[in-house]
Amino acid sequence: MLVRSHMVGVGAYLPAQAVSNHDLAQRVDTSDEWIVQRSGIRSRHIAAEGETTSDLAFAAAKAALENAGIPAERVDLIVLGTTTPDHTFPATAVKVQARLGITSGCAFDIQAVCSGFIYALSVADNFIRLGQAKTALVIGADTFSRILDWQDRTTCVLFGDGAGAVVLEAGEGQGELSDRGVLSTHLHSDGRQYDSLATDGGPSATRTVGSVRMNGQEVFRHAVSRLSEVAAEALAANGIDGRQLDWLVPHQANLRIIEATAKKLKLPPEKAVVTVDHHGNTSAASIPLALAEAVADGRIKRGDLLLMEAMGGGFTWGSALVRW
Ligand code: ACO
């Protein structure tokens, strides 16, 4: 018997305020038509004044624990993917830990931008497989609205705020494709593209937080090829074909990137869970938000085989094959 990380619950939280493309067109020189055509985004949620990443993360974590039917005190590991922590330090994860009333185990943040959830999931899975944790909360949470330049129409229309979380529990597996839980994770980075998607500030460089700057076409070009590569790597490692997947649960940056990835996997487009139209790009939160939505509406059922993949600033990218 092998130790496997069973995914036993999922939860999500979106700020109350939804902002449409038409709303944005009142603030910057853009249009609903341009945004929908280039990205597939129609609206996004934006955190209220004073509402922080830890507020979003806490709400998603609480929902995931309720969904799993697991008391918070059983959690001995919290890994939180975020690019927009409440403060430069301490980690936002420890704030969430305290609000959940957990006083043992460990909690820390991971910074891999839009790949943050996949990185956090991989780290938590490895903790569980090695026996260093038994019950983990894996959270992706971001308030990108706080680091956007609202005068820059090339970036401010693409992002939204939100949080999603899953609960992992140590369980058993046979090392087979039929096992429940996380079957594989693959992580990659290549720092040569550091400047293609970055903030123009940071505590050590400028003592400021900075705003998002992006070379959109460069990101797009790399995203399509890196995501196809990492999807192929996950399939090969598990000896399967894309057609055996029940669902693609991708990072939600751009509808064109999602459709291109599904096509390369020979999956019909309706087998890709799409939330980018009403969430925008919520960075580390996008995959667990998409998972939560498709589980809640009954599309994803227990036993389904899911491929999750993401790419983000760094560049970082990665995948997770999961039997829900
Ligand atoms: N509204 C109207 N016009 C705009 C806007 C806007 N919001 N933004 C840019 N434009 C204009 C440009 O100024 C340009 O005008 P010009 O031709 O007169 O110079 C024109 O639209 C075309 O601009 P491009 O940058 O060439 O547009 P492109 O087709 O590349 O689309 C986009 C831009 C949507 C950013 C695309 O490159 C993309 O999706 N890239 C991937 C970026 C991404 O997904 N980032 C998320 C983070 S990384 C990740 O999660 C994978």
Side-chain angles (χ1 to χ4, degrees):
M1 282 288 178
L2 296 171
V3 179
R4 286 281 195 211
S5 306
H6 290 177
M7 213 172 257
V8 295
V10 62
Y13 176 80
L14 288 162
Q17 190 197 6
V19 175
S20 71
N21 292 346
H22 294 292
D23 297 333
L24 280 184
Q26 313 296 313
R27 298 173 66 165
V28 283
D29 181 15
T30 190
S31 66
D32 178 58
E33 191 194 359
W34 191 96
I35 302 170
V36 172
Q37 199 180 69
R38 307 287 171 128
S39 70
I41 298 167
R42 292 176 187 277
S43 71
R44 73 287 290 143
H45 291 256
I46 301 291
E49 194 66 37
E51 192 176 34
T52 62
T53 295
S54 69
D55 294 326
L56 277 51
F58 169 67
K62 208 162 153 283
L65 287 167
E66 277 164 19
N67 182 248
I70 283 179
E73 52 274 21
R74 210 195 296 170
V75 172
D76 55 2
L77 172 68
I78 300 176
V79 190
L80 191 157
T82 190
T83 301
T84 47
D86 288 17
H87 295 100
T88 303
F89 79 89
T92 299
V94 296
K95 213 168 178 183
V96 174
Q97 184 192 30
R99 284 184 69 181
L100 288 169
I102 304 170
T103 52
S104 59
C106 68
F108 55 90
D109 290 357
I110 285 208
Q111 161 57 292
V113 207
C114 297
S115 311
F117 178 75
I118 296 288
Y119 267 61
L121 180 63
S122 181
V123 168
D125 177 46
N126 282 306
F127 265 67
I128 287 177
R129 282 172 189 256
L130 283 171
Q132 206 172 342
K134 291 241 175 305
T135 306
L137 257 174
V138 181
I139 309 169
D142 267 309
T143 47
F144 249 62
S145 63
R146 301 275 155 66
I147 55 166
L148 293 172
D149 173 353
W150 287 97
Q151 310 301 316
D152 177 9
R153 66 177 183 173
T154 68
T155 52
C156 75
V157 302
L158 300 174
F159 294 90
D161 300 334
V166 298
V167 182
L168 300 181
E169 273 228 298
E172 288 182 345
Q174 310 274 2
E176 305 284 344
L177 187 64
S178 56
D179 284 357
R180 268 186 73 193
V182 182
L183 302 180
S184 69
T185 60
H186 291 90
L187 303 182
H188 298 277
S189 62
D190 181 350
R192 286 176 297 175
Q193 299 294 330
Y194 191 90
D195 294 327
S196 293
L197 177 53
T199 56
D200 55 11
S204 169
T206 63
R207 291 181 175 232
T208 61
V209 176
S211 301
V212 175
R213 303 290 172 218
M214 177 175 73
N215 179 341
Q217 288 183 357
E218 191 71 359
V219 174
F220 191 93
R221 198 167 60 78
H222 279 271
V224 174
S225 45
R226 296 288 95 82
L227 291 173
S228 300
E229 280 165 25
V230 84
E233 182 183 32
L235 298 182
N238 291 278
I240 58 168
D241 186 82
R243 284 169 285 215
Q244 289 171 258
L245 297 171
D246 293 301
W247 295 99
L248 176 67
V249 189
H251 169 51
Q252 310 280 325
N254 186 308
L255 188 58
R256 289 184 294 154
I257 298 176
I258 295 172
E259 287 176 347
T261 311
K263 198 170 170 194
K264 291 220 166 150
L265 286 166
K266 300 191 174 66
L267 272 181
E270 61 273 16
K271 285 287 178 187
V273 179
V274 174
T275 53
V276 69
D277 55 332
H278 52 291
H279 292 171
N281 180 347
T282 56
S283 192
S286 85
I287 291 177
L289 275 170
L291 177 68
E293 186 171 298
V295 167
D297 68 21
R299 270 177 293 169
I300 294 181
K301 299 187 171 46
R302 277 286 163 213
D304 280 356
L305 190 59
L306 320 177
L307 181 65
M308 303 172 177
E309 41 80 345
M311 185 196 132
F315 291 138
T316 56
W317 65 102
S319 73
L321 189 76
V322 175
R323 174 84 58 195
W324 173 248

